[in-house]
Amino acid sequence: MGKYQLDDKGRALVTRYHEKYSKGGFKKTDKIAQLREQFLKKQGK
């Protein structure tokens, strides 16, 4: 076990921070739109 253990709430805050301040990658809205498209394709089958 590491020295700095995070609970679920702390882990979520850290991931949100890295999503916000990272260069490149996916933004949350882009990811949601992509997941929505995949869901609609599956529903159409």
Side-chain angles (χ1 to χ4, degrees), residues 1-7 10-11:
M1 290 290 186
K3 183 177 177 183
Y4 300 103
Q5 293 290 321
L6 294 174
D7 57 349
R11 194 174 297 126

Side-chain angles (χ1 to χ4, degrees), residues 9-42:
K9 189 175 182 181
R11 194 174 297 126
L13 289 171
V14 170
T15 55
R16 200 174 307 136
Y17 174 84
H18 286 295
E19 285 177 357
K20 186 175 181 181
Y21 292 106
S22 68
K23 303 286 182 185
F26 287 106
K27 292 185 180 178
K28 193 171 188 179
T29 53
D30 296 338
K31 190 172 184 180
I32 291 172
Q34 185 181 22
L35 290 173
R36 180 177 164 81
E37 289 175 12
Q38 290 175 359
F39 175 75
L40 292 175
K41 286 180 185 177
K42 288 182 182 178

